């Protein structure tokens, strides 16, 4: 069988996650030759392209227009245009709509390629020095109780390192939730990777929480949690739950609010807590 090398019509191109110097030579070459550059935020990618003196029109492709914009990009590729897809930072397709375009290319049998480069979670994992022989990336840390409960079960049992993206306005709450259940579990918060204030805070969950509460953690961050080991789980006894219920009410919460706060804090089902504290 003779295989001819065809040029891909779509390139997913990784871009720097903080330091503009982390752009590959090949990415620059492909961008310079592209017909269309699609990106999440034209202002963000515009800065990158300006830095490298690449003057091209940018096409917005993001969570809110991915269907129409995706189809418009497919049309362009079908007439032979070369499209490059960028995310705001890092690898397109990781926590952004890039995967949808890949799937559409697969359906349409359009040849595509991926240009390797930075991704925040892989960089953070290596930074942490934690076990990388087996790990799981779970995207953004969940907000709702149902998802948190699933994560709680996961973290109770999974021996692999778990990686989350997290935001500055939620990090303390998340750390408190983790420290409450597994105070001795090893954690790392790695923030502002490749930027001026790059730093890692690493220690037991309760230590990392204490540090986070002593100042304001700003910027972009990744949270890494070591795998489950025996004896690192906090089991909430009835007495613990009673004490928490009382504590939240003493802080001014109504019974209903205290239950919602406990569900948030312990990862336990709101319904079960309601049954226990409101209907007894
Ligand atoms: N596609 C990107 C990638 O490959 O990493 C991820 C996009 S996701 C929407 C953005 C999240 O990645 C941020 O909220 C933060 O959690 C993480 N992140 C991005 N840049 C980072 C940096 N320089 N340092 C730490 N975390 C970063």
């Amino acid at each position: 069988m003779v295989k001819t090398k065809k040029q891909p019509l779509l390139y997913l191109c990784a871009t720097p996650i903080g330091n503009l110097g982390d752009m590959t030579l090949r990415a620059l070459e492909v961008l310079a030759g592209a017909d269309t550059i699609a990106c999440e935020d034209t202002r963000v990618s515009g800065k990158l392209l300006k830095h490298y003196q690449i003057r091209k029109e940018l096409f917005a492709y993001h969570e809110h227009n991915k269907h129409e914009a995706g189809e418009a990009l497919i049309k362009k590729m079908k007439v032979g245009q070369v499209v490059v897809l960028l995310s705001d930072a890092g690898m397109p397709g990781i926590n952004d709509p890039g995967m949808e375009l890949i799937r559409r290319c697969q359906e349409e049998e359009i040849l595509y390629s991926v240009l390797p480069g930075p991704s925040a979670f892989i960089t953070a994992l290596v930074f942490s020095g934690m076990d990388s022989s087996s790990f799981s990336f779970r995207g953004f840390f969940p907000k709702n109780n149902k998802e948190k409960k699933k994560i709680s079960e996961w973290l109770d049992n999974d021996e692999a390192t778990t990686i989350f993206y997290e935001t500055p306005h939620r990090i303390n709450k998340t750390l408190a939730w983790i420290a409450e259940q597994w105070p001795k579990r090893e954690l790392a918060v790695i923030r502002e990777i490749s930027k001026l204030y790059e730093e890692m805070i690493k220690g037991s969950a309760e230590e990392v929480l204490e540090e986070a509460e002593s100042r304001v953690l700003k910027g972009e961050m990744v949270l890494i949690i070591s795998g489950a080991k025996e004896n690192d789980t906090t089991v909430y006894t009835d007495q613990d739950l009673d004490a928490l219920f009382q504590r939240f009410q003493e802080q001014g919460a109504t019974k209903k609010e205290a239950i919602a706060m406990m569900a948030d804090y312990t990862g336990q089902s709101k319904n079960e807590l309601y049954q226990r504290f409101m209907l007894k």
Side-chain angles (χ1 to χ4, degrees), residues 220-279:
E220 297 192 283
M221 54 191 72
V222 182
L223 169 64
I224 308 198
I225 307 175
S226 62
K229 292 180 193 70
E230 273 176 39
N231 304 329
D232 64 3
T233 308
T234 296
V235 177
Y236 288 96
T237 62
D238 287 353
Q239 263 176 332
D240 292 334
L241 292 176
D242 288 344
L244 263 182
F245 190 54
Q246 196 179 335
R247 194 170 100 202
F248 287 136
Q249 286 184 94
E250 280 166 8
Q251 288 169 357
T254 62
K255 282 187 174 183
K256 225 173 150 187
E257 285 164 350
I259 286 169
M261 287 159 86
M262 285 168 73
D264 222 27
Y265 204 68
T266 62
Q268 298 205 350
S269 135
K270 210 180 201 171
N271 233 342
E272 281 168 24
L273 290 169
Y274 194 88
Q275 302 274 335
R276 183 178 142 82
F277 288 98
M278 294 297 267
L279 306 181

Side-chain angles (χ1 to χ4, degrees), residues 69-81 83 104 110:
E71 289 318 303
L73 290 171
I74 292 285
K75 264 193 195 152
K76 286 176 187 282
M77 293 179 230
K78 280 188 160 173
V79 296
Q81 283 201 22
V83 174
R104 284 292 293 124
I110 293 172

Side-chain angles (χ1 to χ4, degrees), residues 17 89-91 94-95 119-120 140 165-166 192-193 220-222:
I17 57 171
M91 181 58 85
I94 304 290
N95 275 100
S119 189
F140 279 95
Y165 286 157
E166 189 48 293
E192 295 290 89
I193 296 168
E220 297 192 283
M221 54 191 72
V222 182

